[in-house]
Amino acid sequence: SLKPFPKDFLWGASTSAYQVEGASLEDGKGPSCQDVKVVPEGTSDLKVCADQYHRYKEDIALMAEMGFKTYRFSISWSRIIPEGTGAINPKGIEYYNNVIDECLKYGIEPLVTMFHFDMPAALDERGSWGNRDSIDWFLNFAKVMFENFGDRIKYWLTINEQNMLTLVGPVIGTLMIPEGCTNVLKETYQQNHHMLVAQAKAMALCHEMLPGAKIGPAPNISLVYPASCKPEDVLAAQNYNAIRNWLYLDMAVYGVYNNLVWAYLEENDACPEFGEGDAEALKNGHPDFIGFNYYNTATVEASDGTEKLDSGADQQTARGEAGVYRGYKNPNLPTTEFGWEIDPMGFRATIREMYSRYRLPMIVTENGLGAYDTLTEDGKVHDQYRIEYLRKHIEQIQLAITDGAEMMGYCPWSAIDLISTHEGMVKRYGFIYVDRDEFDLKTLDRYRKDSFYWYKKVISSNGED
Ligand code: BGP
């Protein structure tokens, strides 16, 4: 029989600063890489987004109405330190103090992502994560957050989807590769290494400054299936599992490079250089839990190394890497309107695999369905498809709990409609509809979708409904 969800299970939902806040250059905020990037043709810029900066009270009240136990949001680095290092913007601190206090007023536990795809533009100009100083820049930013908000925030997440940043950073508008770089793979994994060291040091600093707080990573974890039971496809799946998933969690939890990834980097002359103290720092940072985003699984087959494959289409549709693995469309899975496979059972499989590897409590920091929603004339959004998607995934969490996994919470993407990483405003994920189009800001009024009322029941019954 099924085990129940834990009594203190953290039901909630997620957003990220650059996708939801707007006010991109208001009240002293410095530009981030997202504000200066060229957005894909036909998609909105990130100046207004859902305008949460001006409407956080209304938004948090709606989350409270759904019964949220937690709200996962991110703190914009360049809103509180406009140049990335140096002067602090008091208005930025004030804004997040207000958001935190508003959550706490309703008994909503803030779950804060420290870095969600939005490097301050001023630091991009100094080489971004490619500059070894980025470790200190990030640590300073962490310290400012711990000092200012640490008295009220119990749960911290370090870097959102560092693995996707490394694998498809340019699609998301992050990860700067310097012009004329001759070994892009090495440069990419050097930047990745700096992020890993920064994360480890931030976890250690959190434990030192805030002994009561808990901190963990937030990669995007999707189990990789072999396309067949051919041994060479199984090896390809192991390769991609290591490169896409385990590297990040092995590093966060054990502080060591996954051997398959290291061998792959060696083969390609792309091993990152260790700076002084890195090995020790990596060993000294420990997560209290694992946060992870799950949208679907991936399926791959062997690559004989002769094909031309570029590694990235987007977060969920990597095409492969010659000689290592090759993306394969799983014929057993339906896809969303935006081409992402849907695999609820793979969610359970992913949780099983993660829990048996790491034995740490886990919280789902993203999961959800991006779709074209329509607002009816009487202000309704009939998003039955989203309810179906979420219901099936919640069922699988309960099965995973029954398997013995320790699950702390579930925060689907997204609490409210916001701008997609690269597909604009039309790709909506929220429980709350925001009245705006791609380029026409309309009223920006909020409407409760059908999924809003449904999720409210899920929460009040602790997942039994
Ligand atoms: C994750 C990101 C989010 C997000 C979500 C949906 O990769 O952490 O920031 O937006 O995916 O992706 P998209 O917006 O591309 O549909």
Side-chain angles (χ1 to χ4, degrees), residues 15-16 18-19 72 116-117 160-161 164 171-172 218 220 293 295 314-316 338 340 365-366 368 370 413-414 418-424 427-429:
T15 61
S16 90
Y18 88 89
Q19 294 172 281
R72 174 188 179 225
H116 195 124
F117 300 160
N160 179 69
E161 292 196 358
M164 295 303 110
V171 179
I172 300 167
N220 177 312
N293 299 348
Y295 288 87
D314 73 11
Q315 308 95 299
Q316 302 299 337
F338 288 85
W340 288 10
T365 42
E366 288 180 31
W413 187 263
S414 49
L418 39 70
I419 309 274
S420 146
T421 57
H422 61 291
E423 299 188 273
K427 190 183 191 188
R428 294 171 186 265
Y429 285 86

Side-chain angles (χ1 to χ4, degrees), residues 27-28 53 75 79-80 89-97 149:
D27 286 344
Y53 188 76
I75 290 184
R79 193 179 291 290
I80 65 171
N89 173 28
K91 288 262 185 195
I93 302 282
E94 186 188 322
Y95 173 65
Y96 291 110
N97 272 330
F149 314 122

Side-chain angles (χ1 to χ4, degrees), residues 216-257:
N220 177 312
I221 301 295
S222 296
L223 203 59
V224 182
Y225 303 145
S228 76
C229 52
K230 280 189 216 145
E232 53 268 40
D233 288 346
V234 174
L235 290 179
Q238 287 178 330
N239 288 341
Y240 192 41
N241 263 313
I243 292 171
R244 190 197 189 289
N245 300 314
W246 312 138
L247 163 64
Y248 297 88
L249 292 175
D250 287 0
M251 268 303 199
V253 178
Y254 306 126
V256 289
Y257 271 93

Side-chain angles (χ1 to χ4, degrees), residues 10 39 132-133 140 145 149 155 168 173 203 210 230 241 260 267 271 285 287 289 295 324-325 343 345 440-441:
L10 293 168
V39 298
R132 199 179 151 78
D133 291 345
N140 172 64
M145 286 188 281
F149 314 122
Y155 297 106
V168 293
M203 293 193 293
L210 310 170
K230 280 189 216 145
N241 263 313
L260 295 182
E267 189 70 29
C271 291
F289 62 87
Y295 288 87
V324 187
Y325 67 92
D343 185 5
M345 210 182 278
D440 178 357
L441 294 177

